[in-house]
């Protein structure tokens, strides 16, 4: 039972990083400024690297599978990433805000995950935290720049906030495997993250001369056609399938090949 | 000092292999020629991100995804160093980008060919980065200092790319029949455009003689192309792939491979904007540029505000 939760938890961490990294990599070659094209590609690369560490560990726990089996041969319903990660990039403002929310979350999560009794998770968290610290700084600076930039950039970041806020609650709503892992001191108790996360958001929004988001991260999840969406439990938006169609296409078309 | 004296100093430096630096006097045409070359090179790096960038989201394994992403990011870095090197000659990045987007400046035609399968990513690394290295290694000794130094950094990374590309093809060639076919098909499509990367034949190359005299170029187009054919032909044997040239044959006398005539009509067509992807590539660059305009404005406005806040207003 605990072993299953540990595997799910590790996959959840892996999927978060992979799907977010995959999305960010869509900017490569299309960024608004060459230096920022490089920066966002770099962050994408960090996240894909993190996901590989988690997948390799999950593969080891499961036995008989590889990191690529886990990334390329699972169906959308088996993916456990948060919905926030899979949402389309939208414009630069939406991508930035999405990354800022995500990086703030990873920043506080990894800080606590370093204390995990699972030495592998702890080690990956420690290594990743260095990267995420930079992601958080970079995305914060951009939130501030856009919020306090021009009329247009402010409008765009406010619109992004409207579109994204409903997806932030999921971060703090533990799935069963997260609760199980937290109870066993392997995972992080999400209850402890929320306040730090919210304070950081308020602080950066203030610097960006943006009004604070109204209220708490929305705890209720999106209702989609009677289905309660929850990425951590495999109930995704249609966007995840779009990502997987591209990502998994070669592995699925030519099964069993070396690449 | 008279222009003649300055010219003597300049020639003397070239003679003694002393690098020309931004502050040094240089003939107008030397400057113009270099700006054209370096900015063309920079644009090639940037436009070159597109065909390969297409496959980042479809790379077939996590390792391949990461290396491809890193590769495309390296190309952006190359573009950055090269724009900076050109800027030392008194042209701004905005000006150069404007020349690219309005079609005044050229970029390497190779990037106007489409990437149709995963094997193309291997073929590009092996052949396109391979040809780039062949062109660029001698540029590490080019007479203009900033360009030479940029090339040293760039060449190190390009040889990584070339090895990665070869390794992608090698994996495919050792794989299933479909994979090997994919590799052969990619070689068929990329071989001739890669040979075109060295530019027109020497007797048809307007800039070569002057560039050699100025020690900007160290070898002629045909010399470099021959070297490329010789090396790649051997490497193709390792892959077990057939180079699509019926005239390719070892010439014992010359100690080089003979090879067939390049289709210069196709070359000219692609250079003049009628290649398979010229319009798409430019459209993608223009879209990124236009959609990024508000971001650049916001960044500028913010830094202006910050500056103003930092300067205390006089009472
Ligand atoms: Fe390059
Ligand atoms: Fe290059
Ligand atoms: Fe390269």
């Amino acid at each position: 039972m605990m072993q299953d939760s540990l595997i799910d938890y590790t996959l959840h961490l892996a999927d978060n990083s992979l799907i977010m990294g995959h999305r960010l990599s869509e900017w490569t070659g299309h960024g608004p400024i060459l230096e920022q094209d490089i920066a966002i590609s770099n962050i994408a690369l960090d996240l894909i690297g993190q996901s590989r560490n988690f997948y390799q560990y999950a593969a080891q726990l499961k036995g008989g599978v590889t990191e690529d089996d886990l990334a390329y041969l699972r169906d959308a319903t088996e993916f456990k990433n948060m919905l926030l990660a899979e949402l389309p990039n939208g414009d630069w403002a939406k991508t930035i805000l999405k990354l800022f929310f995500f990086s703030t979350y990873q920043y506080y999560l990894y800080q606590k995950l370093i204390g995990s009794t699972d030495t592998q998770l702890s080690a990956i968290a420690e290594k990743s935290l260095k990267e995420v610290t930079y992601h958080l700084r970079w995305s914060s600076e951009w939130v501030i720049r856009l919020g306090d930039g021009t009329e247009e950039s402010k409008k765009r970041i406010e619109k992004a906030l409207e579109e994204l806020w409903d997806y932030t609650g999921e971060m703090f709503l533990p799935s069963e495997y997260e609760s199980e892992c937290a109870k066993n001191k392997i995972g992080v108790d999400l209850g402890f993250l929320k306040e730090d996360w919210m304070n950081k958001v308020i602080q950066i929004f203030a610097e960006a001369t943006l009004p604070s988001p109204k209220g708490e991260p929305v705890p209720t999840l999106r209702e989609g056609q009677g289905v309660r969406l929850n990425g951590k439990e495999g109930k995704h938006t249609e966007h995840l399938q779009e990502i997987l169609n591209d990502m998994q296409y070669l592995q699925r078309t030519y099964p069993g090949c070396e690449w | 000092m008279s222009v003649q004296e300055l010219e003597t100093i300049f020639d003397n430096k070239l003679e003694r292999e002393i690098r020309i630096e931004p502050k040094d006097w240089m003939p107008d045409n030397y400057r113009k020629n270099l700006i054209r070359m370096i900015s063309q090179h920079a644009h090639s790096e940037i436009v070159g991100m597109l065909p390969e960038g297409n496959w980042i989201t479809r790379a077939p394994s996590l390792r391949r995804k990461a290396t491809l992403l890193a590769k495309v990011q390296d190309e952006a870095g190359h573009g950055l160093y090269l724009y900076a090197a050109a800027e030392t000659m008194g042209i701004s990045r905005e000006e150069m980008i404007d020349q690219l987007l309005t079609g005044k400046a050229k970029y390497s035609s190779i990037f106007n060919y489409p990437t149709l399968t995963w094997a193309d990513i291997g073929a590009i690394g092996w052949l396109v980065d391979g040809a780039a290295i062949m062109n660029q290694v001698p540029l590490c000794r080019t007479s203009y200092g900033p360009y030479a130094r940029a090339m040293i950094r760039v060449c190190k990374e390009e040889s990584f790319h070339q090895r990665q590309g070869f390794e992608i093809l090698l994996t495919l060639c050792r794989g299933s029949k479909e994979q090997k076919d994919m590799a052969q098909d990619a070689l068929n499509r990329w071989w001739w455009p890669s040979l075109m990367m060295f530019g027109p034949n020497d007797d048809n190359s307007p800039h070569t003689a002057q560039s050699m005299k100025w020690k900007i170029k160290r070898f002629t187009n045909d010399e470099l192309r021959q070297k490329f054919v010789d090396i790649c032909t051997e490497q193709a044997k390792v892959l077990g792939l057939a180079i699509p040239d019926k005239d390719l044959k070892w010439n014992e006398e010359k100690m080089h491979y003979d090879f067939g005539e390049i289709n210069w009509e196709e070359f000219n067509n692609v250079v003049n904007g009628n290649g398979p992807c010229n319009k798409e590539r430019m459209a993608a660059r223009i879209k990124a540029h236009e959609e990024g305009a508000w971001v650049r404005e916001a960044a500028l406005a913010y830094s202006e505000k910050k500056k103003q806040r930092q300067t205390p207003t006089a009472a």
Side-chain angles (χ1 to χ4, degrees):
Chain A
M1 181 59 208
M2 189 46 227
Q3 182 74 359
D4 287 346
S5 293
L6 174 58
I7 291 171
D8 283 348
Y9 188 59
T10 307
L11 284 171
H12 156 68
L13 296 169
D15 292 342
N16 264 351
S17 292
L18 177 63
I19 299 300
M20 191 69 190
H22 181 100
R23 272 296 188 215
L24 294 180
S25 79
E26 293 172 9
W27 275 104
T28 304
H30 306 277
I33 303 167
L34 191 49
E35 285 83 348
Q36 306 308 331
D37 196 308
I38 293 174
I40 206 163
S41 302
N42 210 30
I43 295 173
L45 206 51
D46 285 344
L47 289 171
I48 290 167
Q50 286 175 20
S51 81
R52 291 186 67 188
N53 291 330
F54 286 124
Y55 283 130
Q56 283 163 13
Y57 181 42
Q60 183 193 321
L61 290 169
K62 276 174 101 83
V65 291
T66 66
E67 55 170 352
D68 288 330
D69 293 336
L70 294 172
Y72 289 87
L73 299 176
R74 278 181 308 143
D75 291 333
T77 51
E78 294 169 279
F79 270 73
K80 295 172 184 22
N81 59 282
M82 304 184 298
L83 301 176
L84 183 75
E86 72 200 42
L87 297 178
N89 284 331
D91 64 4
W92 186 251
K94 188 169 175 186
T95 301
I96 289 295
L97 192 62
K98 202 167 89 147
L99 180 63
F100 169 64
F101 287 157
F102 184 84
S103 303
T104 307
Y105 173 77
Q106 278 197 329
Y107 178 74
Y108 292 112
L109 180 82
Y110 288 159
Q111 271 189 355
K112 297 232 162 36
L113 193 59
I114 290 175
S116 169
T117 56
D118 185 296
T119 52
Q120 289 273 9
L121 289 182
S122 161
I124 301 172
E126 189 173 354
K127 183 173 175 289
S128 306
L129 182 62
K130 290 196 194 89
E131 297 165 350
V132 170
T133 305
Y134 164 72
H135 306 169
L136 177 56
R137 200 182 71 211
W138 184 85
S139 57
S140 300
E141 284 170 1
W142 268 105
V143 169
I144 294 166
R145 215 172 269 138
L146 296 180
D148 195 16
T150 59
E151 275 305 304
E152 171 162 20
S153 66
K154 181 174 225 121
K155 229 181 268 164
R156 283 180 186 256
I157 198 114
E158 283 174 346
K159 183 165 168 275
L161 176 64
E162 242 170 71
E163 289 171 3
L164 295 173
W165 189 247
D166 284 0
Y167 292 93
T168 56
E170 187 186 5
M171 294 177 184
F172 309 102
L173 203 77
S175 60
E176 253 175 68
Y177 54 82
E178 284 174 296
S179 302
E180 176 88 3
C181 286
K183 210 171 66 195
N184 288 284
K185 309 271 182 264
I186 284 171
V188 175
D189 188 333
L190 297 178
F192 291 129
L193 292 186
K194 195 166 166 179
E195 202 182 312
D196 285 339
W197 186 89
M198 197 61 208
N199 286 340
K200 186 70 175 176
V201 169
I202 291 170
Q203 178 216 327
I204 296 299
F205 272 46
E207 273 188 63
T209 68
L210 291 166
S212 274
K214 7 175 191 14
E216 300 247 303
V218 179
T220 48
L221 298 166
R222 277 276 159 125
E223 302 285 334
Q225 302 185 321
V227 187
R228 203 157 183 246
L229 295 186
N230 179 340
K232 294 176 183 183
E233 285 165 4
K235 292 171 192 144
H236 292 278
T237 66
E238 63 200 355
H239 305 298
L240 181 67
Q241 189 58 55
E242 289 160 12
I243 290 175
L244 298 186
N245 286 347
D246 268 355
M247 193 171 87
Q248 299 181 336
Y249 131 79
L250 276 169
Q251 288 268 359
R252 300 267 189 183
T253 314
Y254 305 96
C257 287
E258 279 287 326
W259 295 96
Chain B
M1 240 183 283
S2 72
V3 171
Q4 212 165 14
E5 282 169 306
L6 289 167
E7 232 163 86
T8 310
I9 296 172
F10 176 82
D11 288 342
N12 194 261
K13 276 191 182 154
L14 289 185
E15 186 67 34
R16 291 186 300 146
E17 300 281 336
I18 296 173
R19 294 263 159 83
I20 308 301
E21 295 299 333
K23 288 206 178 85
D24 296 343
W25 181 91
M26 59 190 92
D28 252 6
N29 280 331
Y30 175 87
R31 183 188 302 271
K32 264 193 216 144
N33 195 17
L34 265 169
I35 288 180
R36 180 186 56 84
M37 243 178 106
I38 303 175
S39 68
Q40 236 179 60
H41 191 169
H43 298 328
S44 302
E45 303 284 351
I46 301 305
V47 178
M49 294 170 76
L50 297 169
E52 287 184 283
N54 270 340
W55 281 87
I56 293 170
T57 56
R58 290 178 288 174
S61 74
L62 292 172
R63 180 170 76 93
R64 295 292 184 205
K65 196 183 190 69
T67 33
L68 179 58
L69 178 51
K71 186 207 181 212
V72 178
Q73 189 202 21
D74 283 348
E75 307 299 3
H78 299 170
L80 207 55
Y81 312 151
L82 286 161
Y83 282 128
E87 280 183 317
T88 63
M89 305 203 94
I91 185 169
S92 71
R93 203 203 295 182
E94 289 69 38
E95 250 176 292
M96 287 184 269
I97 289 175
D98 191 64
Q99 288 173 353
L100 171 69
L101 299 182
T102 55
K104 250 190 270 167
K106 298 238 182 305
Y107 57 89
S108 179
S109 281
I110 193 82
F111 301 117
N112 291 318
Y113 290 87
T115 41
L116 303 179
T117 73
W118 171 249
D120 290 27
I121 301 308
I124 290 181
W126 176 39
L127 297 173
V128 176
D129 287 81
I133 293 168
M134 208 63 80
N135 272 325
Q136 289 167 18
V137 165
L139 289 176
C140 297
R141 295 188 296 123
T142 197
S143 56
Y144 187 57
Y147 194 22
R149 286 188 289 274
M151 277 302 104
I152 292 170
R153 291 176 75 177
V154 167
C155 281
K156 262 188 217 144
E157 293 177 350
E158 301 295 13
S159 40
F160 261 125
H161 300 167
Q162 200 257 354
R163 259 179 284 159
Q164 279 159 10
F166 186 80
E167 206 250 316
I168 288 176
L169 288 181
L170 194 60
T171 308
L172 294 176
C173 289
R174 288 176 179 166
S176 69
K177 176 166 186 312
E178 283 115 320
Q179 285 178 302
K180 188 160 186 189
D181 289 348
M182 209 185 265
Q184 181 64 55
D185 169 64
L187 174 57
N188 292 348
R189 285 180 291 109
W190 289 94
W191 176 252
W192 289 104
S194 301
L195 295 194
M196 294 176 197
M197 281 178 73
F198 297 93
N201 287 134
D202 292 346
D203 44 17
N204 225 336
S205 174
H207 302 290
T208 297
Q210 183 57 268
S211 294
M212 300 273 287
K213 210 178 119 220
W214 275 330
K215 297 194 176 173
I216 294 174
K217 273 180 146 181
R218 300 283 178 163
F219 298 98
T220 70
N221 295 353
D222 285 332
E223 283 169 347
L224 292 169
R225 187 162 21 234
Q226 181 67 58
K227 209 169 153 200
F228 180 75
V229 171
D230 289 346
I231 290 176
C232 290
T233 306
E234 294 305 318
Q235 289 173 336
K237 287 182 195 162
V238 177
L239 293 172
L241 294 177
I243 288 179
D245 179 357
K246 58 176 174 32
D247 298 321
L248 187 74
K249 208 171 66 226
W250 178 249
N251 183 325
E252 192 62 43
E253 218 169 287
K254 291 193 213 153
M255 295 301 279
H256 286 297
Y257 279 94
D258 289 333
F259 56 97
E261 189 57 36
I262 287 170
N263 181 347
W264 292 112
E265 195 189 326
E266 175 181 328
F267 175 80
N268 288 326
N269 264 321
V270 183
V271 169
N272 293 322
N274 301 314
C277 300
N278 295 58
K279 292 193 182 66
E280 284 97 321
R281 299 293 182 243
M282 264 314 95
R285 288 314 314 156
I286 290 169
K287 182 168 182 276
H289 188 74
E290 286 176 353
E291 288 181 358
W294 71 267
V295 181
R296 294 189 296 274
E297 278 160 27
L300 189 67
Y302 175 73
S303 75
E304 294 287 316
K305 280 189 208 175
K306 217 173 145 184
K307 243 185 269 162
Q308 270 177 11
R309 278 176 215 147
Q310 274 162 359
T311 358
T313 43

